[in-house]
Structures are given as C-alpha cells and as structure tokens.
Amino acid sequence: MVKRLYIHVPFCVEKCHYCAFISSPPQNGELGEYPDLLIRELRGHPSGGEALASIYFGGGTPSLLQPPQLARLLEEINKHSGISPDAEITLEVNPGTVDQSSLKGFRAAGINRLSLGIQSFDENHLKCLGRIHTAEQSHRAFQDIRAAGFTNVSIDLIHSLPNQTLGQWQTELNHALNLDPEHISIYGLTIEEGTPFAHSYPDNSPALADEDLSADMFDLADTLLTGSGFEHYEIANYARSGYQSQHNNGYWRRDGYLGLGVAAHSFLREGYGIRFSNPDTLEEYLRGVLSGKLPRIGEQQLTRHDAIAEYMFLGLRLAKGIDLNHFEQEFGVSLQSVYGSVIPELAGLGLLIQSESTITLTKRGMLLSNQVFSRLLP
Ligand code: SF4
C-alpha cells in the first residue's frame, strides 16, 4: 500500500466562476451517501503495509461533510490502512460552510490541519470570483478555527484577478499576514476553458493582468512573506518553519498515493510509476464502486523517459530543488548525461542555479517555470 491518501469530495454549494475542478452542488442525499461509497472503494484496495503518513480531504468542498462523517471515514481508514500517530490530516475548508461547532467537530474527528480557501479579502473580487462567502466570514472562520484548537492552518490567495492593482494585492497580503497562519498558498489566476471566466475574459481582455503585472505580484508576495519569516519552499507555497505541507511535499517527491472518490488521481510506485484516475462523474463512480470493479481511467505505465521528466518538473518546484546524487540513485545515470548542455544554458539565462550537488530554480526561473520545464523534456 501507499503512505499517502487523497480523498476527493466533488460537491460545492455553488460553482465559482473561475473553477474547472470536478465539483457540483449536491443533489438529494448525495452528500449523505458519499462516505459509504468512499469506504466501499477503500475496502477494494489491498490493506496492510506502512501506516498512512498523510491524508488530504480536497475538493470540491470537503468541509460540506459533517464531523461524524469525517470521524467515521478516518476510523475506517485507520482500520483498513493504519494511520501513523503523527500523520498530517488536512481538510480543505470553504469559509462559507463552517461555524464554531463544525470546526470543533472536525478537530474532534481527527483533522489536524486546515486549508482555508480565502482567495481574496476584497468584497468586489470575491463577488467577481463567484465565491459564496464574504471577507468578514473568512476572518470569522479563521478566528473560529483558532478557537477550535487548530495550530496548523493554511490559507489560499489568488492574485492577478480581473482589474486588480498591485496596491490591492499588497492589501490582500497584509490581511493574510495579520491573520498569522502557519502556511500560505499563492496562485496566479488562470483562465480555464469551459468556465464562465473564459467567456467573460478572453485572452486579450484588458481586465486581465499582463505578464509584467503578474510578475510584480509574484515578487511582492515573495518580498512581503519572506520578509515576515515565511519560507518560500515551493513555487506557490510559503510556510513557517516546521509547517510545510507534508502531503504536497509527497507529491513533489513522487511518493506513491492513492486517490479515493470521484475523479481522484492515484500514483503507484511500481516500475517507473503508474498513474490513473477514477471516473469523473458521480454516476459512473457510483456504478463502478457498487459493481465492485471501479474502472481506472487513463491508466498510464510511465516509461523511464516519463519518470525523468516528472522528477524534474516536480522536484524543481521545490526551493531546495533537485539533488544530483538522488537523481543518480533513482535513474542509474547522472543528470548531466541526460541533459548535457541544457542545464548550463538555463543557468546562463538566469533561470537555474547549479551547484556541486543541486539544481534549483531562481526566482525568475520560478516565474517562468513553464518555459524551463519545456526545455527539460529529456
Ligand atoms: S469552492 Fe473551490 S472547488 Fe468549489 S467551485 Fe469554488 S473553487 Fe471550485
């Protein structure tokens, strides 16, 4: 078995205007029945082996689940796979779906880390994004989270919102710092196909931030957050010392993980790795689980070539970058022999730093990471 578990909860109160994740408002009874399906799916996987080091409830809006449902899920997971006593157990929370009582219930159920989807503290931007909560609700949720005893809390913010100025972004960052969370994730808005935003904001829309403004926002976040003691440990993530996301670090290190639920992805470390996902509609997922044979969608047995590319893209996301010895242990050849002059060229462009033992992205390399990654297809 794997040591990391991801559980996808594909329900949201309403769809946000920018969102392309698999989620929709729950229909009659769906939310109540969903944990049973997850448990059935879990039991279909082999048990035993190493106890789970991290569990992540993502979505969608997993904070729509009731504390007793989460407690039962964790109990079943523990029975089936074992949960390490110091496991990180994260729940994504939408500020519009929780109160003091539910947060205390989540804590009592065994959740020990929350990821609060604030996105913005500006009422106009929240409306534009189609979020279901106000800034005041986000502040209140954060206070209630502390009152419930959570000491490991992450918040999400999005920059480069339509018509957002650099000054407004600075105000957002100051609000975030005033809350004093242990972890902050910062994303630049991307316009996803098929969303209402794709219709409202075509490529050439003047409301969208250009590359220079987005870069300034990325830099400002880096300056303010690192200046306040946060470590910029991954392209989009900042943490106080000791509070990096263990679960997500596992993704970037290519640990194996199992995904349960609609559209959940899994990665098994067999050979160079196997990736697959669950069906992305509730109907198909339900049919598969009830029949005892859930189809694996898009199963891909990675080649050595794929695995090297993934290793580079994922490892370079981390500030500590790629360890050259580790690369050689994984693939039996030196990184130099795979990439030749590409690494020195990227270093010459100021995108990478190559030391004797590591390769890391510069801040500029982080900003232009997609360009770097496109050069690293071996
Ligand atoms: S709450 Fe999150 S998952 Fe749900 S629609 Fe909004 S952005 Fe998407």
Side-chain angles (χ1 to χ4, degrees), residues 146-190:
R146 289 301 196 207
F150 285 97
T151 55
N152 188 355
V153 183
S154 179
I155 66 174
D156 285 0
L157 287 182
I158 309 178
H159 66 72
S160 303
L161 300 179
N163 299 309
Q164 188 178 40
T165 64
L166 193 60
Q168 287 174 331
W169 176 234
Q170 178 157 3
T171 304
E172 300 278 18
L173 292 165
N174 287 336
H175 278 301
L177 287 170
N178 285 339
L179 286 184
D180 198 17
E182 284 69 38
H183 187 283
I184 303 179
S185 298
I186 304 275
Y187 303 102
L189 178 72
T190 51

Side-chain angles (χ1 to χ4, degrees), residues 91-134:
L91 178 76
E92 285 182 354
V93 168
N94 183 310
T97 62
V98 288
D99 57 22
Q100 276 189 18
S101 156
S102 61
L103 289 162
K104 283 187 181 144
F106 294 152
R107 185 94 189 97
I111 304 293
N112 57 25
R113 181 175 185 271
L114 295 182
S115 173
L116 186 64
I118 290 179
Q119 318 309 356
S120 171
F121 293 96
D122 179 305
E123 298 300 351
N124 289 329
H125 283 136
L126 287 170
K127 280 202 193 90
C128 165
L129 290 168
R131 300 291 298 178
I132 60 164
H133 56 89
T134 61

Side-chain angles (χ1 to χ4, degrees), residues 65-356:
L65 292 176
Q66 298 299 308
Q69 293 179 298
L70 283 165
R72 183 166 158 251
L73 276 167
L74 288 171
E75 196 183 312
E76 292 289 339
I77 292 166
N78 194 28
K79 263 196 257 166
H80 180 271
S81 312
I83 302 176
S84 169
D86 59 355
E88 177 190 271
I89 307 178
T90 304
L91 178 76
E92 285 182 354
V93 168
N94 183 310
T97 62
V98 288
D99 57 22
Q100 276 189 18
S101 156
S102 61
L103 289 162
K104 283 187 181 144
F106 294 152
R107 185 94 189 97
I111 304 293
N112 57 25
R113 181 175 185 271
L114 295 182
S115 173
L116 186 64
I118 290 179
Q119 318 309 356
S120 171
F121 293 96
D122 179 305
E123 298 300 351
N124 289 329
H125 283 136
L126 287 170
K127 280 202 193 90
C128 165
L129 290 168
R131 300 291 298 178
I132 60 164
H133 56 89
T134 61
E136 195 202 325
Q137 279 176 297
S138 297
H139 281 287
R140 198 176 328 125
F142 196 87
Q143 281 169 12
D144 289 345
I145 283 169
R146 289 301 196 207
F150 285 97
T151 55
N152 188 355
V153 183
S154 179
I155 66 174
D156 285 0
L157 287 182
I158 309 178
H159 66 72
S160 303
L161 300 179
N163 299 309
Q164 188 178 40
T165 64
L166 193 60
Q168 287 174 331
W169 176 234
Q170 178 157 3
T171 304
E172 300 278 18
L173 292 165
N174 287 336
H175 278 301
L177 287 170
N178 285 339
L179 286 184
D180 198 17
E182 284 69 38
H183 187 283
I184 303 179
S185 298
I186 304 275
Y187 303 102
L189 178 72
T190 51
I191 304 293
E192 304 289 343
E193 230 177 277
T195 62
F197 262 25
H199 182 69
S200 307
Y201 304 107
D203 279 352
N204 54 359
S205 166
L208 294 179
D210 61 21
E211 270 181 25
D212 288 345
L213 179 56
S214 284
D216 288 347
M217 290 183 173
F218 177 91
D219 284 342
L220 183 63
D222 189 58
T223 303
L224 288 186
L225 300 188
T226 57
S228 301
F230 281 86
E231 183 190 358
H232 190 180
Y233 74 100
E234 194 268 348
I235 291 179
N237 288 285
Y238 296 80
R240 294 267 183 224
S241 176
Y243 289 97
Q244 294 186 12
S245 165
Q246 299 307 313
H247 188 84
N248 289 338
N249 266 328
Y251 291 152
W252 298 314
R253 282 194 311 253
R254 296 185 79 238
D255 288 353
Y257 56 88
L258 186 66
L260 299 181
V262 175
H265 291 249
S266 297
F267 175 57
L268 307 181
R269 287 295 306 250
E270 292 168 18
Y272 286 111
I274 301 175
R275 293 196 178 273
F276 58 91
S277 62
N278 285 345
D280 62 7
T281 66
L282 185 60
E283 297 68 36
E284 211 189 327
Y285 172 74
L286 183 131
R287 233 187 349 263
V289 170
L290 295 183
S291 73
K293 198 160 173 14
L294 196 60
R296 289 181 170 191
I297 308 294
E299 180 166 328
Q300 186 195 6
Q301 171 80 60
L302 301 189
T303 62
R304 183 164 171 282
H305 186 277
D306 299 328
I308 288 176
E310 265 195 14
Y311 184 97
M312 297 298 289
F313 305 159
L314 294 172
L316 279 175
R317 294 191 63 89
L318 293 166
K320 68 179 183 189
I322 303 268
D323 179 295
L324 300 179
N325 285 331
H326 189 263
F327 181 95
E328 204 159 330
Q329 281 161 22
E330 284 277 300
F331 301 109
V333 288
S334 70
L335 190 135
Q336 158 73 21
S337 70
V338 176
Y339 286 105
S341 61
V342 175
I343 302 293
E345 276 169 31
L346 290 169
L349 292 170
L351 299 170
L352 285 179
I353 297 172
Q354 183 171 17
S355 77
E356 263 184 26

Side-chain angles (χ1 to χ4, degrees), residues 12 14-16 18-19 21 23 59-61 94 131:
C12 288
E14 282 174 27
K15 202 72 192 158
C16 301
Y18 60 98
C19 177
F21 292 122
S23 71
T61 307
N94 183 310
R131 300 291 298 178

